[in-house]
């Protein structure tokens, strides 16, 4: 089942997304949560931390999986996904390192990184997965053409991803590969939430929800998911029903 929640602005959609995540943790304290970093979920993460702390929600048994990472980027680089999660989630919640699982993008054995994450996901399953959508329709670093059955993998990044990705960095940064949880895992997540905001994303949201379901546009996979909630602001939803 696909449902679409729309809100007037990014703040309200972030608050509602954070509510859903917080309520899910409340209902199942040993939840396995897989999340994307990026500009779209940033506010959701901040509000989620506030809610967890203000409401005293038990997060001591929560397991957290980071969706992806730029290969070769150290975790102290402000544009890395590790930096994002450490500052927005792990440190404010004082999470124990045993609770979170991020790809080590500096490893010289990425194959082992991939298999470790695959095994973890296959063993525990992802209960809730929160992802964004890129300007080329990617989810995580599942770039156009990625098979819908893919497990964790290393991807050569699309030109759109490497140019749009510069927005996360203070200086021009060479980005060429990404390591990511694959679309096969996303399909098996018990609940998937895809978030998008801003007029810039209206075209990709329209294509994801109303275009052909095809690996050339990875986010179209949401149309096949059994339990997916799309959460957008009005701007990102503005082209729906108009083609
Ligand atoms: P953004 O990234 O949330 O920073 O727009 C989305 C993505 O590329 O997946």
């Amino acid at each position: 089942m696909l449902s679409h929640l729309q809100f007037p602005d990014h703040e309200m959609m972030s608050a509602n997304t954070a509510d859903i995540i917080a309520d899910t943790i409340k209902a199942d304290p040993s939840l396995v949560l897989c999340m994307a970093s990026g500009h779209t979920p940033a506010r959701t993460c901040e509000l989620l931390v506030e809610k967890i702390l203000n409401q005293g929600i038990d997060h001591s048994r929560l397991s957290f999986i980071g969706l992806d990472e730029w290969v070769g980027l150290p975790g102290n680089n402000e544009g890395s996904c590790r930096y994002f999660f450490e500052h927005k989630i792990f440190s404010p919640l004082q999470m124990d390192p045993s609770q979170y699982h991020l790809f080590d993008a500096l490893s010289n054995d990425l194959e082992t990184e991939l298999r470790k994450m695959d095994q973890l996901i296959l063993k525990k399953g992802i209960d809730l997965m929160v992802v964004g959508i890129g300007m080329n329709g990617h989810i995580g670093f599942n770039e156009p053409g990625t098979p819908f059955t893919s497990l964790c993998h290393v991807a050569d990044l699309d030109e759109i991803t490497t140019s749009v990705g510069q927005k996360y960095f203070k200086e021009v940064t060479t980005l060429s590969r990404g390591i990511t949880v694959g679309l096969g895992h996303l399909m098996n997540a018990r609940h998937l939430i895809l978030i998008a905001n801003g007029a810039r994303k209206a075209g990709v949201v329209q294509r994801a929800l109303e275009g052909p379901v095809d690996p050339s546009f990875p986010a179209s996979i949401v149309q096949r998911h059994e339990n997916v909630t799309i959460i957008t602001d009005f701007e990102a939803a503005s082209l729906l029903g108009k083609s």
Side-chain angles (χ1 to χ4, degrees):
M1 201 189 69
L2 184 149
S3 51
H4 180 190
L5 309 176
Q6 296 186 43
F7 297 95
D9 55 29
H10 185 238
E11 183 67 18
M12 286 183 75
M13 69 171 255
S14 302
N16 279 274
T17 309
D19 275 342
I20 296 174
I21 303 171
D23 288 346
T24 313
I25 299 171
K26 240 191 268 180
D28 176 8
S30 53
L31 189 81
V32 178
L33 172 65
C34 176
M35 266 197 90
S37 53
H39 289 165
T40 317
R43 188 69 184 133
T44 297
C45 291
E46 289 164 7
L47 293 169
L48 174 64
V49 165
E50 263 179 48
K51 283 173 205 294
I52 289 177
L53 295 177
N54 291 343
Q55 296 177 31
I57 298 172
D58 175 17
H59 57 282
S60 63
R61 282 174 284 153
L62 178 71
S63 294
F64 187 100
I65 293 173
L67 176 66
D68 57 8
E69 186 58 279
W70 307 97
V71 169
L73 216 65
N76 62 3
N77 183 311
E78 289 183 21
S80 74
C81 303
R82 182 177 291 270
Y83 187 95
F84 177 99
F85 289 127
E86 276 175 355
H87 286 77
K88 294 231 177 279
I89 305 255
F90 308 152
S91 161
L93 288 182
Q94 298 186 310
M95 280 174 75
D96 190 276
S98 65
Q99 284 179 268
Y100 50 85
H101 310 274
L102 303 180
F103 290 114
D104 176 3
L106 288 183
S107 167
N108 51 21
D109 184 2
L110 291 175
E111 196 53 40
T112 299
E113 285 300 300
L114 295 169
R115 301 295 76 90
K116 252 193 337 203
M117 194 67 94
D118 278 334
Q119 272 163 23
L120 177 82
I121 295 174
L122 292 171
K123 184 165 153 226
K124 290 184 166 233
I126 296 172
D127 297 305
L128 178 60
M129 185 157 180
V130 182
V131 300
I133 176 171
M135 296 305 292
N136 58 357
H138 76 193
I139 290 181
F141 288 132
N142 290 278
E143 296 288 67
T146 307
F148 283 171
T149 51
S150 62
L151 300 179
C152 296
H153 61 279
V154 172
D156 289 328
L157 299 176
D158 191 81
E159 197 274 327
I160 296 178
T161 300
T162 56
S163 55
V164 174
Q166 295 302 324
K167 67 180 181 170
Y168 304 117
F169 300 94
K170 288 206 176 111
E171 40 200 57
V172 177
T173 303
T174 305
L175 306 167
S176 60
R177 291 190 303 157
I179 182 165
T180 186
V181 171
L183 295 173
H185 292 310
L186 173 141
M187 279 305 278
N188 288 327
R190 292 180 189 101
H191 183 195
L192 173 66
I193 297 178
L194 182 139
I195 52 177
N197 71 290
R200 215 168 51 90
K201 291 277 174 80
V204 290
V205 167
Q206 196 268 339
R207 224 175 134 186
L209 300 192
E210 297 177 346
V213 178
D214 191 88
S216 61
F217 199 77
S220 63
I221 196 173
V222 298
Q223 295 180 45
R224 295 234 174 110
H225 198 281
E226 281 184 357
N227 183 19
V228 56
T229 308
I230 311 297
I231 303 180
T232 69
D233 64 0
F234 291 161
E235 283 185 347
S238 59
L239 292 178
L240 291 171
K242 299 221 167 106
S243 64

